[in-house]
Amino acid sequence: MLILNKTVRVFSIPSKRKIYEFLGSFTFHPGKLFLHKLVLGIETSCDDTAAAVVDETGNVLGEAIHSQTEVHLKTGGIIPPVAQQLHRENIQRIVQEALSASRVSPSELSAIATTTKPGLALSLGVGLSFSLQLVDQLKKPFIPIHHMEAHALTIRLTNNVEFPFLVLLISGGHCLLALVRGVSDFLLLGKSLDIAPGDMLDKVARRLSLRKHPECSTMSGGKAIEHLAKQGNKLLFDLKPPMHRAKNCDFSFSGLQNVVDKIIKQKEKEEGIEVGQILSSAADIAAAVQHTTACHIAKRTHRAILFCQQRGLLAQTNAVLVWQLNGSAIQPVWPKKEPEAASSH
């Protein structure tokens, strides 16, 4: 807790008056009986301000979110001070909406859980400051959340998945493989040695000036690459998956980005266009970089599966791999279930 206290002093803490006004805005229900523990979760690790009330069985009783996507699209990426200010402007409203939707008053909460790492320091500080004020006023326990661990465990809220299982987490800020052996028991098998795949795709999209492309003007970098890749020839450029000789489960994407930058520069020269103009081969480049990225991730994940099987770290039958891509809902992907209609054949 000493570390958290030191961290919070760096950021602007809401005044006690605002916190009291916030708490006073709720209608209390003294006759209402809750049989389960209720936790308020607050998330501000990057560019979304989110909150939810969850009971001990995993039921989400109420939730709310404010997305900053439109603002950051205009600036070509997330600017930490801008994200921080938007969190400050919206966190009270979002928490209030989550509590109101759940019909739970602050006094009925059992604890407050908040993302404390990893993420953008300025964004994390807003959620942490607000949460610690609530903890102080309500005299409730505080639960610091490592949001990579939280992502890994999300599958157990929606699916009946037993420990241990393998998890692949991918986004603009991280890429890792881990064996999940328990709620706080993780074995890291592989991680990106440099940048994350989402970060790399965003940089390639900016280098291709896809914001100027009529079909991609409202898309983030990764979505623009995915959209154009459907129209391109993934084999037109000979891109080799990174680290193909490395006997581990780590990832690397900066080298691939450098190779693509050189290809773009060469194509600009061949087509006689200036930096910032759209290449006629933009779709082919998008297809090639997306295909190579997917192959790299698949091969490293396959190595992790083989490693776990050989070491007896996963069950020989009904072993499970789950993945989460860029903040989307986590999904089980291996082994694939046979369709019910085919089960009798």
Side-chain angles (χ1 to χ4, degrees):
M1 197 63 184
L2 290 176
I3 296 176
L4 294 178
N5 286 336
K6 289 180 180 178
T7 304
V8 77
R9 292 192 190 103
V10 179
F11 305 96
S12 174
I13 301 176
S15 67
K16 287 186 178 181
R17 180 180 63 81
K18 287 186 177 181
I19 293 294
Y20 279 123
E21 288 177 354
F22 170 74
L23 296 175
S25 65
F26 291 90
T27 302
F28 290 81
H29 307 276
K32 187 165 54 175
L33 177 63
F34 284 97
L35 301 178
H36 304 297
K37 293 180 180 178
L38 303 170
V39 176
L40 169 65
I42 297 176
E43 152 66 11
T44 62
S45 64
C46 191
D47 59 335
D48 285 338
T49 310
V53 177
V54 183
D55 67 19
E56 63 185 11
T57 65
N59 292 319
V60 178
L61 304 181
E63 59 185 332
I65 186 170
H66 175 80
S67 174
Q68 303 178 6
T69 300
E70 290 188 11
V71 174
H72 297 304
L73 276 175
K74 295 176 182 178
T75 59
I78 298 172
I79 300 176
V82 174
Q84 178 191 41
Q85 183 57 37
L86 291 172
H87 282 306
R88 284 174 174 167
E89 293 173 0
N90 292 285
I91 187 168
Q92 179 171 318
R93 175 180 61 83
I94 291 301
V95 171
Q96 187 166 7
E97 286 181 5
L99 286 167
S100 297
S102 67
R103 297 184 59 81
V104 171
S105 65
S107 64
E108 293 164 331
L109 294 170
S110 304
I112 296 171
T114 304
T115 306
T116 58
K117 65 179 180 180
L120 299 177
L122 295 178
S123 294
L124 287 167
V126 177
L128 181 58
S129 298
F130 188 86
S131 300
L132 292 183
Q133 282 283 17
L134 280 181
V135 166
D136 181 59
Q137 298 297 330
L138 297 171
K139 307 304 178 187
K140 302 291 183 179
F142 177 71
I143 306 173
I145 300 297
H146 186 293
H147 93 259
M148 290 295 96
E149 294 182 2
H151 279 317
L153 295 170
T154 300
I155 187 68
R156 287 168 55 85
L157 287 176
T158 58
N159 296 76
N160 184 23
V161 175
E162 299 295 331
F163 297 120
F165 59 88
L166 189 64
V167 65
L168 169 65
L169 302 177
I170 311 170
S171 83
H174 60 267
C175 184
L176 61 86
L177 278 161
L179 181 68
V180 186
R181 299 181 291 200
V183 172
S184 57
D185 186 2
F186 299 86
L187 175 63
L188 183 64
L189 300 176
K191 60 181 176 54
S192 177
L193 301 178
D194 35 64
I195 62 176
D199 184 21
M200 181 271 295
L201 293 174
D202 283 344
K203 289 177 178 177
V204 171
R206 283 197 292 271
R207 183 64 182 82
L208 286 170
S209 301
L210 295 189
R211 286 187 64 207
K212 297 179 181 179
H213 196 289
E215 298 179 21
C216 306
S217 59
T218 61
M219 299 179 183
S220 63
K223 286 186 177 181
I225 292 290
E226 181 180 14
H227 177 77
L228 282 187
K230 297 175 183 178
Q231 308 169 24
N233 180 358
K234 65 184 180 183
L235 302 178
L236 189 62
F237 297 97
D238 185 22
L239 297 178
K240 302 295 183 182
M243 301 180 68
H244 61 281
R245 294 184 180 180
K247 296 181 179 180
N248 55 45
C249 300
D250 289 328
F251 305 89
S252 175
F253 299 96
S254 62
L256 177 59
Q257 179 196 329
N258 291 334
V259 172
V260 175
D261 281 346
K262 291 179 181 178
I263 290 175
I264 294 173
K265 186 175 182 179
Q266 178 62 32
K267 296 303 291 183
E268 288 172 340
K269 184 177 180 180
E270 291 177 6
E271 295 185 17
I273 65 174
E274 300 292 329
V275 174
Q277 293 181 288
I278 304 296
L279 286 169
S280 63
S281 55
D284 297 322
I285 294 173
V289 71
Q290 179 172 274
H291 175 68
T292 306
T293 301
C295 287
H296 178 46
I297 292 172
K299 288 180 179 180
R300 311 315 283 176
T301 303
H302 185 227
R303 287 188 62 86
I305 292 172
L306 295 177
F307 174 82
C308 289
Q309 288 182 325
Q310 292 170 359
R311 298 296 179 92
L313 300 175
L314 285 172
Q316 293 300 313
T317 59
N318 297 321
V320 175
L321 164 69
V322 301
W323 62 273
Q324 185 175 48
L325 174 62
N326 199 29
S328 61
I330 202 162
Q331 299 289 336
V333 294
W334 174 76
K336 291 185 179 295
K337 293 183 178 180
E338 292 295 328
E340 292 183 6
S343 60
S344 61
H345 297 286

